[in-house]
mmCIF file of all heavy atoms in Angstrom:
data_model
loop_
_atom_site.group_PDB
_atom_site.id
_atom_site.type_symbol
_atom_site.label_atom_id
_atom_site.label_comp_id
_atom_site.label_asym_id
_atom_site.label_seq_id
_atom_site.Cartn_x
_atom_site.Cartn_y
_atom_site.Cartn_z
ATOM 1 N N THR A 694 0.800 -1.227 0.055
ATOM 2 C CA THR A 694 0.031 -0.020 0.012
ATOM 3 C C THR A 694 0.910 1.213 -0.002
ATOM 4 O O THR A 694 2.035 1.222 0.306
ATOM 5 C CB THR A 694 -0.913 0.026 1.181
ATOM 6 O OG1 THR A 694 -0.142 -0.051 2.404
ATOM 7 C CG2 THR A 694 -1.935 -1.155 1.153
ATOM 8 N N SER A 695 0.253 2.404 -0.345
ATOM 9 C CA SER A 695 0.896 3.678 -0.368
ATOM 10 C C SER A 695 1.631 3.979 0.950
ATOM 11 O O SER A 695 2.666 4.618 1.016
ATOM 12 C CB SER A 695 0.083 4.732 -0.805
ATOM 13 O OG SER A 695 -1.114 4.866 0.134
ATOM 14 N N SER A 696 0.966 3.561 2.082
ATOM 15 C CA SER A 696 1.491 3.864 3.410
ATOM 16 C C SER A 696 2.583 2.830 3.716
ATOM 17 O O SER A 696 3.377 3.016 4.778
ATOM 18 C CB SER A 696 0.412 3.882 4.421
ATOM 19 O OG SER A 696 -0.147 2.543 4.581
ATOM 20 N N GLY A 697 2.637 1.741 3.058
ATOM 21 C CA GLY A 697 3.549 0.697 3.467
ATOM 22 C C GLY A 697 2.998 -0.195 4.539
ATOM 23 O O GLY A 697 3.666 -1.137 4.966
ATOM 24 N N GLY A 698 1.698 0.005 4.922
ATOM 25 C CA GLY A 698 1.113 -0.738 6.105
ATOM 26 C C GLY A 698 0.708 -2.159 5.726
ATOM 27 O O GLY A 698 0.542 -2.976 6.717
ATOM 28 N N ARG A 699 0.384 -2.376 4.564
ATOM 29 C CA ARG A 699 -0.134 -3.705 4.166
ATOM 30 C C ARG A 699 0.652 -4.175 3.005
ATOM 31 O O ARG A 699 1.003 -3.505 2.046
ATOM 32 C CB ARG A 699 -1.625 -3.649 3.827
ATOM 33 C CG ARG A 699 -2.489 -3.315 5.088
ATOM 34 C CD ARG A 699 -3.990 -3.525 4.640
ATOM 35 N NE ARG A 699 -4.378 -2.641 3.663
ATOM 36 C CZ ARG A 699 -5.505 -2.745 2.965
ATOM 37 N NH1 ARG A 699 -6.299 -3.851 3.161
ATOM 38 N NH2 ARG A 699 -5.801 -1.825 2.006
ATOM 39 N N THR A 700 0.749 -5.466 2.912
ATOM 40 C CA THR A 700 1.418 -6.112 1.771
ATOM 41 C C THR A 700 0.619 -7.361 1.336
ATOM 42 O O THR A 700 -0.183 -7.915 2.053
ATOM 43 C CB THR A 700 2.874 -6.611 2.088
ATOM 44 O OG1 THR A 700 2.812 -7.521 3.185
ATOM 45 C CG2 THR A 700 3.729 -5.402 2.473
ATOM 46 N N SER A 701 0.825 -7.752 0.093
ATOM 47 C CA SER A 701 0.147 -8.908 -0.459
ATOM 48 C C SER A 701 1.149 -9.659 -1.314
ATOM 49 O O SER A 701 1.957 -9.045 -2.038
ATOM 50 C CB SER A 701 -1.009 -8.495 -1.229
ATOM 51 O OG SER A 701 -1.662 -9.633 -1.742
ATOM 52 N N TYR A 702 1.093 -10.913 -1.416
ATOM 53 C CA TYR A 702 2.024 -11.815 -2.173
ATOM 54 C C TYR A 702 1.356 -12.907 -2.864
ATOM 55 O O TYR A 702 0.136 -13.468 -2.418
ATOM 56 C CB TYR A 702 3.092 -12.439 -1.247
ATOM 57 C CG TYR A 702 3.910 -11.491 -0.444
ATOM 58 C CD1 TYR A 702 3.526 -11.057 0.766
ATOM 59 C CD2 TYR A 702 5.077 -10.980 -1.003
ATOM 60 C CE1 TYR A 702 4.305 -10.177 1.523
ATOM 61 C CE2 TYR A 702 5.861 -10.122 -0.307
ATOM 62 C CZ TYR A 702 5.466 -9.689 0.986
ATOM 63 O OH TYR A 702 6.289 -8.890 1.629
ATOM 64 N N SER A 703 1.865 -13.292 -3.974
ATOM 65 C CA SER A 703 1.373 -14.450 -4.719
ATOM 66 C C SER A 703 1.807 -15.725 -3.886
ATOM 67 O O SER A 703 2.795 -15.728 -3.158
ATOM 68 C CB SER A 703 1.879 -14.612 -6.098
ATOM 69 O OG SER A 703 3.241 -14.833 -6.190
ATOM 70 N N ASP A 704 1.067 -16.740 -4.003
ATOM 71 C CA ASP A 704 1.368 -17.937 -3.217
ATOM 72 C C ASP A 704 2.760 -18.554 -3.585
ATOM 73 O O ASP A 704 3.488 -19.146 -2.874
ATOM 74 C CB ASP A 704 0.331 -19.076 -3.454
ATOM 75 C CG ASP A 704 -0.954 -18.713 -2.829
ATOM 76 O OD1 ASP A 704 -0.976 -17.867 -1.899
ATOM 77 O OD2 ASP A 704 -1.998 -19.270 -3.242
ATOM 78 N N SER A 705 3.128 -18.353 -4.863
ATOM 79 C CA SER A 705 4.412 -18.893 -5.360
ATOM 80 C C SER A 705 5.685 -18.312 -4.709
ATOM 81 O O SER A 705 6.744 -18.921 -4.743
ATOM 82 C CB SER A 705 4.513 -18.739 -6.890
ATOM 83 O OG SER A 705 4.454 -17.383 -7.289
ATOM 84 N N VAL A 706 5.480 -17.086 -4.180
ATOM 85 C CA VAL A 706 6.674 -16.387 -3.617
ATOM 86 C C VAL A 706 6.540 -16.145 -2.128
ATOM 87 O O VAL A 706 7.506 -15.694 -1.464
ATOM 88 C CB VAL A 706 6.995 -15.027 -4.366
ATOM 89 C CG1 VAL A 706 7.100 -15.277 -5.819
ATOM 90 C CG2 VAL A 706 5.845 -14.050 -4.072
ATOM 91 N N LYS A 707 5.398 -16.385 -1.571
ATOM 92 C CA LYS A 707 5.178 -16.136 -0.109
ATOM 93 C C LYS A 707 6.137 -16.796 0.743
ATOM 94 O O LYS A 707 6.380 -18.064 0.496
ATOM 95 C CB LYS A 707 3.784 -16.503 0.246
ATOM 96 C CG LYS A 707 3.308 -15.981 1.631
ATOM 97 C CD LYS A 707 1.795 -16.369 1.794
ATOM 98 C CE LYS A 707 0.939 -15.703 0.670
ATOM 99 N NZ LYS A 707 -0.483 -15.904 0.902
ATOM 100 N N GLY A 708 6.858 -16.114 1.610
ATOM 101 C CA GLY A 708 7.801 -16.742 2.538
ATOM 102 C C GLY A 708 9.232 -16.585 1.965
ATOM 103 O O GLY A 708 10.172 -16.708 2.717
ATOM 104 N N ARG A 709 9.389 -16.244 0.638
ATOM 105 C CA ARG A 709 10.665 -16.103 0.086
ATOM 106 C C ARG A 709 11.006 -14.639 -0.371
ATOM 107 O O ARG A 709 12.143 -14.274 -0.355
ATOM 108 C CB ARG A 709 10.833 -16.988 -1.130
ATOM 109 C CG ARG A 709 10.707 -18.500 -0.848
ATOM 110 C CD ARG A 709 11.014 -19.353 -2.023
ATOM 111 N NE ARG A 709 10.100 -19.117 -3.152
ATOM 112 C CZ ARG A 709 10.458 -18.607 -4.253
ATOM 113 N NH1 ARG A 709 11.774 -18.248 -4.507
ATOM 114 N NH2 ARG A 709 9.619 -18.442 -5.234
ATOM 115 N N LEU A 710 9.952 -13.966 -0.745
ATOM 116 C CA LEU A 710 10.124 -12.580 -1.175
ATOM 117 C C LEU A 710 9.415 -11.654 -0.167
ATOM 118 O O LEU A 710 8.294 -11.932 0.337
ATOM 119 C CB LEU A 710 9.503 -12.384 -2.581
ATOM 120 C CG LEU A 710 10.418 -12.780 -3.730
ATOM 121 C CD1 LEU A 710 10.819 -14.260 -3.766
ATOM 122 C CD2 LEU A 710 9.758 -12.436 -5.028
ATOM 123 N N THR A 711 9.994 -10.489 -0.031
ATOM 124 C CA THR A 711 9.434 -9.440 0.885
ATOM 125 C C THR A 711 9.485 -8.098 0.204
ATOM 126 O O THR A 711 10.468 -7.581 -0.312
ATOM 127 C CB THR A 711 10.291 -9.354 2.242
ATOM 128 O OG1 THR A 711 10.240 -10.620 2.811
ATOM 129 C CG2 THR A 711 9.580 -8.302 3.083
ATOM 130 N N ILE A 712 8.350 -7.502 0.083
ATOM 131 C CA ILE A 712 8.196 -6.167 -0.444
ATOM 132 C C ILE A 712 8.102 -5.134 0.664
ATOM 133 O O ILE A 712 7.596 -5.310 1.794
ATOM 134 C CB ILE A 712 6.969 -6.008 -1.260
ATOM 135 C CG1 ILE A 712 6.872 -4.703 -2.097
ATOM 136 C CG2 ILE A 712 5.654 -6.217 -0.497
ATOM 137 C CD1 ILE A 712 5.741 -4.672 -3.145
ATOM 138 N N SER A 713 8.813 -4.058 0.500
ATOM 139 C CA SER A 713 8.846 -2.993 1.537
ATOM 140 C C SER A 713 9.097 -1.598 0.835
ATOM 141 O O SER A 713 9.560 -1.452 -0.279
ATOM 142 C CB SER A 713 9.987 -3.295 2.583
ATOM 143 O OG SER A 713 11.266 -3.286 1.935
ATOM 144 N N ARG A 714 8.839 -0.531 1.660
ATOM 145 C CA ARG A 714 9.107 0.830 1.246
ATOM 146 C C ARG A 714 10.266 1.332 2.106
ATOM 147 O O ARG A 714 10.342 1.044 3.316
ATOM 148 C CB ARG A 714 7.831 1.710 1.410
ATOM 149 C CG ARG A 714 6.812 1.543 0.328
ATOM 150 C CD ARG A 714 5.751 2.568 0.553
ATOM 151 N NE ARG A 714 4.646 2.454 -0.411
ATOM 152 C CZ ARG A 714 4.538 3.135 -1.505
ATOM 153 N NH1 ARG A 714 5.466 4.003 -1.875
ATOM 154 N NH2 ARG A 714 3.495 2.942 -2.317
ATOM 155 N N GLY A 715 11.163 2.100 1.460
ATOM 156 C CA GLY A 715 12.194 2.787 2.141
ATOM 157 C C GLY A 715 11.587 3.831 3.123
ATOM 158 O O GLY A 715 10.456 4.217 3.004
ATOM 159 N N ASN A 716 12.506 4.316 3.952
ATOM 160 C CA ASN A 716 12.091 5.293 4.919
ATOM 161 C C ASN A 716 11.498 6.627 4.309
ATOM 162 O O ASN A 716 10.536 7.169 4.779
ATOM 163 C CB ASN A 716 13.196 5.667 5.848
ATOM 164 C CG ASN A 716 13.673 4.541 6.832
ATOM 165 O OD1 ASN A 716 12.811 3.695 7.129
ATOM 166 N ND2 ASN A 716 14.951 4.559 7.275
ATOM 167 N N ALA A 717 12.155 6.910 3.234
ATOM 168 C CA ALA A 717 11.699 8.195 2.442
ATOM 169 C C ALA A 717 10.494 7.838 1.629
ATOM 170 O O ALA A 717 9.901 8.757 1.041
ATOM 171 C CB ALA A 717 12.763 8.795 1.676
ATOM 172 N N LYS A 718 10.193 6.548 1.440
ATOM 173 C CA LYS A 718 9.049 6.166 0.662
ATOM 174 C C LYS A 718 9.097 6.453 -0.822
ATOM 175 O O LYS A 718 8.079 6.596 -1.495
ATOM 176 C CB LYS A 718 7.696 6.601 1.230
ATOM 177 C CG LYS A 718 7.489 6.003 2.655
ATOM 178 C CD LYS A 718 6.059 6.262 3.180
ATOM 179 C CE LYS A 718 5.870 5.895 4.604
ATOM 180 N NZ LYS A 718 6.131 4.403 4.797
ATOM 181 N N ASN A 719 10.328 6.783 -1.260
ATOM 182 C CA ASN A 719 10.525 7.077 -2.730
ATOM 183 C C ASN A 719 11.046 5.790 -3.421
ATOM 184 O O ASN A 719 11.246 5.926 -4.608
ATOM 185 C CB ASN A 719 11.389 8.313 -2.954
ATOM 186 C CG ASN A 719 12.755 8.089 -2.355
ATOM 187 O OD1 ASN A 719 13.005 7.251 -1.538
ATOM 188 N ND2 ASN A 719 13.674 8.884 -2.927
ATOM 189 N N THR A 720 11.255 4.743 -2.638
ATOM 190 C CA THR A 720 11.849 3.588 -3.224
ATOM 191 C C THR A 720 11.119 2.343 -2.611
ATOM 192 O O THR A 720 10.817 2.369 -1.417
ATOM 193 C CB THR A 720 13.323 3.391 -2.939
ATOM 194 O OG1 THR A 720 14.043 4.509 -3.433
ATOM 195 C CG2 THR A 720 13.913 2.149 -3.548
ATOM 196 N N VAL A 721 10.768 1.391 -3.430
ATOM 197 C CA VAL A 721 10.161 0.201 -3.007
ATOM 198 C C VAL A 721 11.128 -0.982 -3.297
ATOM 199 O O VAL A 721 11.718 -1.001 -4.419
ATOM 200 C CB VAL A 721 8.753 -0.036 -3.664
ATOM 201 C CG1 VAL A 721 8.281 -1.472 -3.390
ATOM 202 C CG2 VAL A 721 7.767 0.973 -3.196
#
């Protein structure tokens, strides 16, 4: 999400890949 508060993953990558936003939120 835009706030970085929620994430969603496909089943094929869950547990192996992590999405996140940087502190400045200009990079994912």
